[in-house]
Amino acid sequence: MTQLDHGKFSKMTTTFHTLLALDVFVLFFSGYSLMFNDELWWMVGLMGGASGVSAVHRVAGGGLLALIVFWMLMMVTTDTGRGNFREILPSKGDFDAFIQDVQFLLGNVDERHPNARQFAGGTADEIPLLTYIGKGVVFIFAAELTLLSISGVLIWSKTGVISLLATKTAAAAFVTFHGLLGVIMLMGVIFHIFEHGFHPALYPVEVKAFIPRSMIPEEHDDSTEGTGIERLELAPSWNMASTVVGAMAVIGIVSVLLGSLFDEGYPVPRELAIGGGPTDVLLTVGINMGVFVLLLGLVLQMYGNLLRVRWQKQLEQEASEPTAAADGGRVESDD
Amino acid sequence: MSYREHLPETEGYPRAAIAINAVIAIAVTALILWWASEFAVFYENLFRIQPVAEGANAGVGSDWTSGNQIAWLDFLIAITHAADVLMGVFILFMMFLHWGAFRRLAARMRQPGDSGSSAVAADGGRVDDEASAGTDGDTAADGGERA
Ligand code: HEM
Ligand code: HEM
C-alpha cells in the first residue's frame, strides 16, 4: 500500500480541479491584496501595484466565469454528471460520520465512519464517492463561487455600479460586499489544503484529486480488517510539518476573519470612518501566515500533478515491457 | 530511503537548526529590504485610499461623505459579516477535528524507523515490505480501469 489510495476523480475532474484551484489562487492573491492591502503590501507590489492587481483579478475572474459555466454544462449534459449529482446529496450517513468523527477525536470509537475516510485502504468498497466534508466542500464552494462571480461581474465597471447605486460610496460598499463573500471561500480553502496535504497516511499530498481513477489499480488486499493503516510507516517529517502548518492554518483563518471585520475593505463601506483601519503587527503576521498556507497549497497542487506525470510514465513503461509482470505480479485484465 | 544519504554534507546538521535558521534568514532579509525601501507601504496609490474629508484637505474626498445610504446593501454587508463569522467558527472546528483525528491515525501507524524497509513506491510513498511482497507488480498495464 502506498500513498496511492483508491482514485475517485475522473480524468476530466482532475484537470478541472487543477485549473479551478490555480485560478482561485490567483483570485485570492489579487483580491485579498486589495482588501488587506496594508497587510499584504508586498503582494500588491509583486503584481504591479494597484492597477496591476485589478487587472490580474479581472483576468482570473474571467477565467473563473468560463470554468463555472463549463462545469455547469458538464453536470447537466452528461450522464456521469447527472449521476454524480445524486452522489453529492447529503445523507444520514454524512451526519453520522460527523458525529463519529467527534467521538473518534474524543477516543470513544476506534474507527472513522466510512463517509469520513480519506484513506480507504482495504475498505475501499465501503466508502462513498465523497466524504461528508467533500460534500460540504462541493456545496459551499459552488455557492460561493457563483455568488462571487455574479457580484464580480456587477463591479466589473465602476461607472456602471456607480450609476446603478447612486453614490461612489455605495459602489465601493458593493465591492466590499464581494470581498466579504470570498472570506468563507478563503477560510475553507485553507482548511482544504490542510485536510488534503496532512493526512498522515497520504502526506505530503493526497493524490486522489490528481491521478484519475482510470490510472489507479482497483485491486486491494482484503486479507486485513479495516483500512490497514497500521501497516504504513509514518513519514519522519509528519509530526513537525503537520504541527507547523496546522498552527499556521488556524492563525491564518482567525486573522483573515478578524481582518475582514476590522478592515472591511475600503473606503468605509457603511459609514465613513476617517483615519483608516487598524494595521496591527499581529494581524499582519497572521494574515501572511494564511497566505503562506495558500502558497503551500499551490506548491502541493503542482507536486500532485508532477506525481501524476511520473506515474503515467511508469505505467507507459510497464505497458511497453512485455516482462512487466515477470517480477511476481499479476497482470489482470479488466471487466 | 532518503536522498540525504547521498548528501553527507547535510547529514550533520540538525533539521531543527536548519529550519529555524532559514526562517530567521528570511525574516532578516525581509526586514533589510523593508528598511531599504524606506518602510514604504505604498497603498496610498490604491483606488481605495482613505478619503480625506476633514481638516485642511477638506473637499478632496468629500464626495465620499454622502456615505452609503442604501438600506439593503447595508443589510447585505451585515449578514455577510455574520455568515463569515459563523462559517469561520465552523471551519475552525473542522480544522481542530481533523487535526486531532490525523494525530490519532498517525499514532496508529508504524513510527518512522520502525522497520528495515526502505523501499520507495513510484509515487513517493513508503512501501511496507511484507504487505506488498506479493502484489508488487499488480499495476496492470491497464491500471485496472473501471468504466
Ligand atoms: C474566488 C473568487 C473570488 C474572490 C475570493 C474574490 C475576492 C475579491 C476581493 C477580496 C476583492 C477586493 C474587495 C475590496 O477591496 O474590499 C475583489 C475585487 C474585485 N473582484 Fe473579485 N473575487 C473573486 C471572483 C471574482 C470574479 C469571478 C470576478 C469577475 C467576474 C471578480 C471581479 C472583481 C472586481 C472587478 C473587483 C474590483 C477590483 C478593483 O476595483 O480594482 N472577482 N474580489
Ligand atoms: C482554491 C483551490 C481549490 C478548490 C476550489 C478546490 C476544490 C475542490 C472540490 C470542490 C473538491 C471536491 C470535494 C472534496 O472532496 O473535498 C476537491 C477535492 C479535492 N481537493 Fe481540492 N480544491 C482546491 C485546492 C486544492 C489543493 C491545493 C489541493 C492539494 C493539496 C487539493 C486537494 C484535493 C483532493 C485530494 C481532493 C479529493 C478529495 C476526495 O477524493 O474526496 N485541492 N477540491
Side-chain angles (χ1 to χ4, degrees):
Chain A
M1 198 60 63
T2 69
Q3 284 172 332
L4 205 59
D5 205 19
H6 302 264
K8 286 194 247 160
F9 278 12
S10 66
K11 185 101 201 295
M12 194 276 283
T13 314
T14 57
T15 311
F16 183 82
H17 179 261
T18 295
L19 291 178
L20 181 71
L22 288 179
D23 197 75
V24 170
F25 279 129
V26 175
L27 284 164
F28 280 158
F29 293 144
S30 53
Y32 288 100
S33 50
L34 279 169
M35 183 186 259
F36 301 134
N37 60 73
D38 19 7
E39 288 86 7
L40 296 174
W41 76 94
W42 57 276
M43 237 177 180
V44 180
L46 277 181
M47 282 183 265
S51 48
V53 168
S54 303
V56 170
H57 194 76
R58 271 157 220 256
V59 171
L64 186 66
L65 288 180
L67 286 169
I68 288 184
V69 174
F70 167 77
W71 186 258
M72 286 179 172
L73 288 173
M74 290 301 293
M75 288 300 103
V76 212
T77 57
T78 65
D79 279 341
T80 322
R82 284 190 297 265
N84 283 351
F85 194 76
R86 249 163 276 128
E87 299 254 19
I88 68 165
L89 294 176
S91 67
K92 178 160 185 306
D94 296 315
F95 185 71
D96 294 344
F98 167 66
I99 300 295
Q100 190 165 331
D101 257 1
V102 176
Q103 296 291 346
F104 181 73
L105 184 67
L106 297 175
N108 297 340
V109 290
D110 283 330
E111 290 293 342
R112 293 181 83 186
H113 191 281
N115 287 33
R117 273 176 220 165
Q118 289 169 255
F119 175 73
T123 64
D125 297 334
E126 298 166 32
I127 70 165
L129 177 68
L130 288 173
T131 62
Y132 76 97
I133 291 286
K135 290 183 185 178
V137 166
V138 168
F139 277 108
I140 293 167
F141 285 12
E144 277 279 295
L145 291 177
T146 310
L147 290 172
L148 281 160
S149 304
I150 295 171
S151 56
V153 170
L154 288 174
I155 56 180
W156 193 272
S157 146
K158 289 290 172 292
T159 40
V161 236
I162 290 171
S163 65
L164 212 67
L165 295 174
T167 67
K168 224 168 156 184
T169 316
F174 201 79
V175 176
T176 300
F177 164 67
H178 168 80
L180 289 176
L181 273 177
V183 172
I184 297 174
M185 188 78 200
L186 183 62
M187 298 184 298
V189 169
I190 293 178
F191 166 67
H192 189 72
I193 293 167
F194 181 77
E195 190 204 0
H196 293 303
F198 293 88
H199 187 294
L202 304 163
Y203 170 82
V205 69
E206 182 177 350
V207 288
K208 254 175 249 181
F210 306 105
I211 303 188
R213 65 172 165 235
S214 59
M215 286 162 66
I216 298 186
E218 278 300 331
E219 164 149 0
H220 48 271
D221 185 2
D222 285 325
S223 61
T224 39
E225 282 282 300
T227 59
I229 196 172
E230 36 327 294
R231 291 184 300 153
L232 296 177
E233 187 178 321
L234 188 64
S237 56
W238 184 83
N239 244 306
M240 165 85 129
S242 68
T243 306
V244 171
V245 177
M248 282 192 169
V250 167
I251 295 171
I253 291 173
V254 171
S255 303
V256 296
L257 186 58
L258 290 179
S260 77
L261 291 175
F262 290 144
D263 269 7
E264 255 204 356
Y266 276 95
V268 284
R270 286 191 287 159
E271 299 97 33
L272 194 63
I274 314 266
T279 314
D280 160 306
V281 181
L282 277 179
L283 195 62
T284 305
V285 172
I287 288 180
N288 278 283
M289 279 188 181
V291 167
F292 175 82
V293 176
L294 293 182
L295 285 167
L296 183 73
L298 193 59
V299 171
L300 291 180
Q301 168 86 51
M302 299 295 180
Y303 183 60
N305 277 296
L306 181 72
L307 291 177
R308 189 203 56 222
V309 172
R310 281 206 251 153
W311 179 244
Q312 204 162 8
K313 284 215 179 101
Q314 183 178 329
L315 288 184
E316 278 161 14
Q317 206 172 23
E318 278 172 13
S320 62
E321 285 168 19
T323 53
D327 58 348
R330 289 151 291 163
V331 177
E332 306 233 332
S333 65
D334 65 16
D335 32 298
Chain B
M1 66 138 262
S2 172
Y3 56 88
R4 283 192 185 75
E5 282 156 21
H6 308 290
L7 296 171
E9 306 91 318
T10 58
E11 233 184 329
Y13 300 100
R15 270 156 184 263
I18 297 173
I20 293 168
N21 286 331
V23 170
I24 296 176
I26 293 168
V28 170
T29 312
L31 279 177
I32 292 172
L33 291 180
W34 190 19
W35 175 75
S37 61
E38 291 177 303
F39 302 90
V41 177
F42 39 76
Y43 56 82
E44 294 94 309
N45 54 19
L46 281 173
F47 171 65
R48 291 170 186 71
I49 53 166
Q50 294 301 319
V52 184
E54 270 180 352
N57 288 329
V60 172
S62 48
D63 56 338
W64 295 103
T65 47
S66 49
N68 167 28
Q69 310 282 340
I70 304 174
W72 62 261
L73 186 53
D74 220 41
F75 178 69
L76 219 55
I77 289 174
I79 54 167
T80 314
H81 271 311
D84 286 349
V85 172
L86 280 177
M87 287 305 293
V89 170
F90 176 69
I91 291 169
L92 279 173
F93 177 67
M94 283 299 167
M95 259 303 297
F96 288 117
L97 186 64
H98 281 73
W99 198 348
F102 287 178
R103 294 202 71 83
R104 255 202 101 182
L105 290 172
R108 201 173 277 185
M109 291 168 69
R110 297 190 312 163
Q111 297 309 300
D114 253 13
S115 76
S117 165
S118 60
V120 179
D123 60 342
R126 243 163 290 269
V127 179
D128 171 359
D129 274 349
E130 297 138 85
S132 58
T135 52
D136 237 346
D138 67 10
T139 315
D142 55 34
E145 175 148 20
R146 264 198 327 202

